[in-house]
Amino acid sequence: MEQNEVILQMVDICKAFDGNQALDHVNFELGAREIHGLLGGNGAGKTTLMNVLYGLYKQDSGDILLKGKKLRIASPRDAIRNGIGMVHQHFLQINNWSVVQNVVLGSSVQNKWTMNLAPEVAKLQKLCDRFAIDIDLQVEVGELPMGTRQKVEILKALYRGVDILILDEPTTNLTPQEVDALFVSLKVMVDEGLSIVFITHKLREVLSVCDRITLLRNGKNVTCMPRSEANEETLVRGMVGEDLNVKDSVIFSKEIREGTKIDEVVTPVLEVKGLRHVTEQGIERLKDVTFSIHPGEIFGIAGVAGNGQLELAETLVGVQSKAGGTIKYNGRELNMVTAELLQQGLTYIPEDRLGDGYLPKVNVAQNLILGAQHKQPYSKNGFIDWRKVFEASWEMIKEYNIKTSGPKDTAANLSGGNIQRVMIARAFSHVGDSLMLAHCPTRGLDIPSMDFVYKKLLARKMQGYATLLISEDLDELLLLCDRIGVMYRGELVGILHRSQFDKYEIGRMMSGVKS
Amino acid sequence: MSKANQTPENKFSVRKLLSHPVMSYLLAILAAFVASGIFIALMGYDPFKAFQTILVTSFRTPNGFIQTLLKWVPLTLLALAFTVPYATMKFNIGGEGQLLMGAIGATIAGILLKGLPPILMVPAVLLAGTLAGAIWGFIPGWLLYRYKINEILTTVLLNFVTFALVNYIATEVYPNPEVGHPTTIRIATEGWLPMLVDNPPLHSGLILMVMVAIGVYAFTNRSTRGYELVATGANPRAAGVFGINVPVMFMMGLVIGGALAGLAGGIEVAGIQHHLIEGMHSNFKILGIIIGLIAKGSSLAVPFVAFFIAVMEVGASAMQRTLNIPIEMVYIVEALILLFVLLVDVVRRK
């Protein structure tokens, strides 16, 4: 790709949060009609940098130059006025409004007293035709699949007349097919004159769609190169730095692992039959879910977020009650409350770590023993042996590289990634637990930490323990699981064995096509 | 171990100073004294004399000191009655009512069980008080558990029920017609708490209170159940996901709180009043809550804060007697201390 005229420059941007340098003299430039990949692991500063550009944060120092002119952006409104739009990873839409209503919301529609949307519909239709976006504008957004809802967000930005579009991890909740479709529309947009910043932590995505790649690590520029010069090897090295030995890593391993052969004679650790769950409002969230997990197996649940994964996890651990079906744990039928299950060797890594797994006001040690407070050696005769707890906590802090001043540190002082490490440490430290239920266990972790978790999961498997891994990251599931069940609208549409793994097949199932 | 928490050398020494808990208290007390001192001066009194009276009366005479100890006992128990449920983030505003229930229970036991030897009678009286208080904590706890009714509302409303109940018992059930004020007849002398010092009188409830305070501390900070109580308060949802029976924890907190306040009422009856008297709670009002909040819910800090407040309360009466400064001034000082303690927290966070 020939070098285009540069339309946007960010020069020497610095930003610190509570003394933590999130961006350290970062430079970034965007050419006209360019898809520029902003690559880096969690905490690299990608989103922070773009939030500065979009006016959500104010930089401590450094300049933003738009077409050579210095620009002060104080709010997203300023950013949009200057033609900069951003689509966030987790966006907010009003479910029972139509696409048009959602798009128009918050913009300065001329006829705001009559709310006559016909001219806006015409305008949007034109935009859709021009950028090859295929959406029915009158449909309620709540009924749309994730990929289309994301197009609504992109349409929002286009409607506001932006010419620079920032997409923050746009592929997180998409099936592989939707990802491909997104990439096609990005190309069309660029041909139509837009410039796009594509934030991601996935190498393959930048290599397949971006014209240029800027790589950040720990809030610093590592490199910037055109795609023609980039290869996986250099990018991996740049992303993880020296913290990870790429050769022994699970993530970058080239070795092909076979799925565990399941011995049908052995009782499964977990056997779920016809499981149903109905919410208090009478909505059926789990429909006839049937699967089993055998010793030494990692069973994955794939699916776009919100298709019943949370309900499955919570019904299994007893937080929500089931409306029908049976759950057998080590051959015994269960109707247990959570406390008993925990006693019996279940460990749980909840998806919503802050809401469901963390006690911010107490100290780190108290967090590390949550759920194990009745177990030896922490508890004796109804009293907690704090000395033992602190010793164990120090070990966990070291092994899991939790960044904290010690077990007595207030838990609220920890950052998101470190909170996730606490969740991981807690779950993996109770040895001999026969079943682990991990829901998005690597969310918010950087690549070396992710790799560490993967190693731990595989080690469990080698020791013959069973794991249920629910994840939104399909690559993670493909890497680790022996079998993958795909969920769609509360149903398990199909279960694939490792030998049958195929990204696109799983993608089809994620959008409801039965195998 | 990665040395992660390398706090950058603090630029502001004030903040560093504030970060020490004892320092932050001293500063809050100082600020409260200065602020209220200005008012005392504006009212035309000598603030230095006033504060001297407030702080020194307790330590000048044996009588003053014993008065202080006698105040310290119920204040500590009432504050613990607030902090134990507060560990689960439930607010027991009904300490007064629970204290009165404890007094009612102790009085009734002391009247009905006449004739038992003191070795049985004293524990029975105190136990009756504790149980009555516990029931008064159980009712809001159960309403919360079963119907999710807000405990702040129920504990406050139950206070009014007890005021009426005290009146009824003191005028209709066991009235003492010789006294002009609604008062019951005396409990049997076998139910009186043994004395530690006869003159001025100091009852052995003091020792009991110290033991109970240690017990509460051990329970909340060392026991597994106490851990679950604290975990529930820190994040009820997460505690529930990890197997703690959260509604039961809420109820347990309120029941223990009620029992502690009930014990305070029992000790008041068995140690000091020897009968139930209308308005006997007015010496304590909501001081239990204020102490609990100044102590920031720490059951370790409660006895110390309670002692300080007891000193101020005893000093306040002396101040009114000798300097004619209204006793309410001390309530203002106490409220200001609480405000400044909270303010110091805010400043420290900034």
Side-chain angles (χ1 to χ4, degrees), chain A residues 339-369:
Chain A
E340 285 174 77
L341 272 172
L342 293 166
Q343 280 289 343
Q344 300 244 336
L346 173 104
T347 48
Y348 179 41
I349 304 174
E351 178 199 24
D352 175 7
R353 57 186 173 223
L354 279 180
D356 295 355
Y358 205 54
L359 314 172
K361 280 185 297 186
V362 298
N363 65 33
V364 173
Q366 282 169 309
N367 270 283
L368 284 168
I369 62 164

Side-chain angles (χ1 to χ4, degrees), chain A residues 342-343 347 357-359 362-380 383-394 396-397 402 407 411 422-423 425-427 429-430, chain B residues 220-228 230-231 238-239 242-244:
Chain A
L342 293 166
Q343 280 289 343
T347 48
Y358 205 54
L359 314 172
V362 298
N363 65 33
V364 173
Q366 282 169 309
N367 270 283
L368 284 168
I369 62 164
L370 179 63
Q373 70 269 20
H374 289 291
K375 288 188 185 170
Q376 295 276 11
Y378 304 140
S379 175
K380 231 183 239 161
F383 280 85
I384 289 179
D385 186 343
W386 285 109
R387 204 153 44 130
K388 284 256 164 60
V389 171
F390 284 136
E391 279 168 19
S393 299
W394 268 122
M396 288 189 234
I397 287 167
I402 302 167
V422 170
M423 302 289 117
R426 180 161 78 198
S429 298
H430 309 314
Chain B
T220 52
N221 293 48
R222 302 262 171 244
S223 78
T224 311
R225 279 272 172 260
Y227 167 82
E228 295 188 339
V230 172
F242 283 85
I244 296 170

Side-chain angles (χ1 to χ4, degrees), chain A residues 248-498:
Chain A
D248 324 315
S249 77
V250 179
I251 299 179
F252 303 109
S253 132
K254 296 272 191 284
E255 166 198 358
I256 295 161
R257 280 181 301 103
E258 305 247 318
T260 313
K261 288 221 172 52
I262 293 156
D263 188 348
E264 295 295 340
V265 189
V266 180
T267 340
V269 179
L270 186 76
E271 202 175 354
V272 178
K273 264 203 192 117
L275 187 67
R276 291 179 62 236
H277 172 73
V278 181
T279 62
E280 280 176 32
Q281 289 80 32
I283 302 161
E284 199 173 23
R285 292 281 188 210
L286 291 179
K287 295 172 200 163
D288 195 25
V289 173
T290 300
F291 66 94
S292 57
I293 309 176
H294 295 262
E297 190 184 22
I298 300 180
F299 186 91
I301 297 279
V304 175
N307 274 294
Q309 294 96 322
L310 180 66
E311 288 79 5
L312 176 64
E314 298 204 331
T315 315
L316 290 178
V317 299
V319 175
Q320 297 193 28
S321 56
K322 59 180 202 261
T326 55
I327 303 169
K328 277 188 185 168
Y329 181 52
N330 289 325
R332 280 205 307 129
E333 186 164 333
L334 272 191
N335 241 332
M336 278 194 202
V337 288
T338 325
E340 285 174 77
L341 272 172
L342 293 166
Q343 280 289 343
Q344 300 244 336
L346 173 104
T347 48
Y348 179 41
I349 304 174
E351 178 199 24
D352 175 7
R353 57 186 173 223
L354 279 180
D356 295 355
Y358 205 54
L359 314 172
K361 280 185 297 186
V362 298
N363 65 33
V364 173
Q366 282 169 309
N367 270 283
L368 284 168
I369 62 164
L370 179 63
Q373 70 269 20
H374 289 291
K375 288 188 185 170
Q376 295 276 11
Y378 304 140
S379 175
K380 231 183 239 161
N381 309 323
F383 280 85
I384 289 179
D385 186 343
W386 285 109
R387 204 153 44 130
K388 284 256 164 60
V389 171
F390 284 136
E391 279 168 19
S393 299
W394 268 122
E395 275 166 31
M396 288 189 234
I397 287 167
K398 270 181 218 149
E399 187 181 353
Y400 293 86
N401 194 19
I402 302 167
K403 295 200 170 97
T404 170
S405 58
K408 286 189 178 168
D409 192 11
T410 306
N413 292 343
L414 270 61
S415 69
N418 282 307
I419 292 173
Q420 190 63 26
R421 290 191 182 101
V422 170
M423 302 289 117
I424 301 285
R426 180 161 78 198
F428 282 103
S429 298
H430 309 314
V431 271
D433 285 341
S434 57
L435 178 66
M436 170 177 285
L437 206 165
H439 196 169
C440 298
T442 57
R443 181 177 280 178
L445 294 183
D446 52 25
I447 295 172
S449 308
M450 264 166 92
D451 201 73
F452 179 78
V453 173
Y454 293 165
K455 280 198 186 115
K456 282 273 179 188
L457 283 169
L458 290 175
R460 260 182 75 80
K461 170 187 154 76
M462 298 319 280
Q463 289 166 330
Y465 298 127
T467 307
L468 176 64
L469 177 64
I470 305 177
S471 178
E472 283 156 24
D473 185 346
L474 196 50
D475 295 329
E476 176 171 293
L477 293 169
L478 291 170
L479 190 66
L480 297 169
C481 296
D482 299 300
R483 287 186 298 156
I484 295 179
V486 184
M487 284 196 89
Y488 177 70
R489 302 227 164 138
E491 252 178 294
L492 210 51
V493 230
I495 296 173
L496 296 176
H497 194 263
R498 193 166 179 88

Side-chain angles (χ1 to χ4, degrees), chain A residues 184-256:
Chain A
V184 172
S185 21
L186 293 186
K187 297 273 193 210
V188 175
M189 284 180 223
V190 171
D191 288 341
E192 284 294 317
L194 249 62
S195 309
I196 293 170
V197 182
F198 183 94
I199 305 178
T200 187
H201 64 273
K202 292 182 184 164
L203 280 173
R204 269 160 239 149
E205 292 180 353
V206 282
L207 288 172
S208 66
V209 74
C210 297
D211 302 314
R212 231 180 344 158
I213 297 158
T214 291
L215 182 57
L216 298 183
R217 188 175 75 236
N218 293 333
K220 290 191 183 105
N221 284 95
V222 177
T223 172
C224 176
M225 56 176 89
R227 187 196 23 207
S228 51
E229 288 169 26
N231 66 49
E232 208 160 322
E233 191 74 35
T234 44
L235 290 180
V236 167
R237 191 35 74 215
M239 262 171 99
V240 300
E242 303 304 315
D243 296 344
L244 181 70
N245 185 346
V246 175
K247 284 218 179 69
D248 324 315
S249 77
V250 179
I251 299 179
F252 303 109
S253 132
K254 296 272 191 284
E255 166 198 358
I256 295 161

